[in-house]
Amino acid sequence: MMAEATAKRVTRRRVRTRANLLDAAFAVFAAKGFGRVSIEEVCEAAGYSRGAFYSNFGSLDELFFALYQDRADLIAEQVAGALALDGPDLDVPAAVDRVTDVLLLDLDWLLVKTDFLVHAARDSAVAQTLLGHRARLRGAIAHRFTRARGLAELPAVLGDVDAAAHAVVAAYDGVTTQLLLDKDVEHARVWLKQLLTALLTDGSGTPERILN
């Protein structure tokens, strides 16, 4: 019994150490950029030794990979949750507001995500992880469109719900590129709302719902 209790304490402590290392790494990567950060800097920011680092991660690349995976999964879950709050009818402006709040508030995440994109462009294995995350994000959006009634009212030029989901993610990519440069979150939120409303309605902003 004592050994089991000790093992549980060790496991909890290791989970907490890993989480603290990831949080510290997120702040350091956002501030300096991946490729300009050392293991020592991450350890110092987290308040741990190199031994604690290596008991959780084999390398800085592995930590960066885990950091991206954790945050990307969280974002995908938040988007899915934001889209699930409507009933069978899809309130486009309300859904766009909720998704925009989830996606645009964290400039540090955009910096880390962009670093990961550049890293993935040079490493096909890492690229598969990024492609997988983007596919999950599009899947959450497409699933919401599929559950909504009145899909025929989506602009015909978008084709099917999968193409509509691709268009939503592409609009987000374009807006966040500008956001990384001008740091104007409020303008980016308004701009993204306008783009998504235009994509998902006739563009006039008049139709508030996709209905039967």
Side-chain angles (χ1 to χ4, degrees):
M1 293 292 293
M2 289 183 61
E4 183 179 345
T6 300
K8 287 182 178 178
R9 284 197 300 272
V10 170
T11 300
R12 286 197 297 268
R13 185 166 62 247
R14 182 168 183 175
V15 168
R16 186 168 59 250
T17 299
R18 183 182 186 277
N20 290 340
L21 283 166
L22 287 171
D23 286 343
F26 182 80
V28 176
F29 285 141
K32 300 188 68 173
F34 182 69
R36 297 182 178 180
V37 174
S38 67
I39 290 174
E40 288 76 11
E41 287 173 298
V42 172
C43 292
E44 181 179 354
Y48 292 121
S49 66
R50 286 176 64 92
F53 179 94
Y54 282 115
S55 70
N56 287 274
F57 303 102
S59 66
L60 205 57
D61 278 8
E62 183 181 326
L63 180 147
F64 189 52
F65 187 93
L67 171 64
Y68 179 84
Q69 191 79 13
D70 283 359
R71 298 280 173 150
D73 287 347
L74 175 62
I75 293 293
E77 289 171 8
Q78 288 175 329
V79 169
L83 290 171
L85 293 178
D86 289 322
D89 302 325
L90 181 59
D91 184 335
V92 172
V96 166
D97 280 344
R98 291 194 300 269
V99 171
T100 299
D101 284 343
V102 169
L103 290 176
L104 281 178
L105 286 177
D106 196 345
L107 282 167
D108 284 347
W109 162 245
L110 295 180
L111 289 168
V112 171
K113 185 167 75 77
T114 301
D115 269 351
F116 196 84
L117 172 63
V118 173
H119 187 45
R122 296 188 174 96
D123 187 320
S124 59
V126 177
Q128 292 307 309
T129 298
L130 182 57
L131 288 170
H133 165 246
R134 291 172 70 84
R136 288 195 300 278
L137 192 59
R138 292 194 305 269
I141 296 167
H143 178 67
R144 184 62 187 92
F145 290 159
T146 300
R147 290 195 304 110
R149 296 180 298 181
L151 287 179
E153 294 189 24
L154 284 171
V157 70
L158 291 179
D160 57 19
V161 293
D162 290 328
H166 272 271
V168 168
V169 175
Y172 169 66
D173 287 341
V175 170
T176 53
T177 297
Q178 181 67 28
L179 175 57
L180 281 169
L181 299 176
D182 64 24
K183 306 294 191 296
D184 190 341
V185 175
E186 293 310 311
H187 174 73
R189 184 176 291 113
V190 170
W191 186 22
L192 183 58
K193 181 177 179 179
Q194 291 170 341
L195 286 175
L196 295 184
T197 300
L199 279 171
L200 301 178
T201 67
D202 66 0
S204 68
T206 301
E208 293 188 355
R209 293 178 179 270
I210 299 175
L211 301 170
N212 278 336

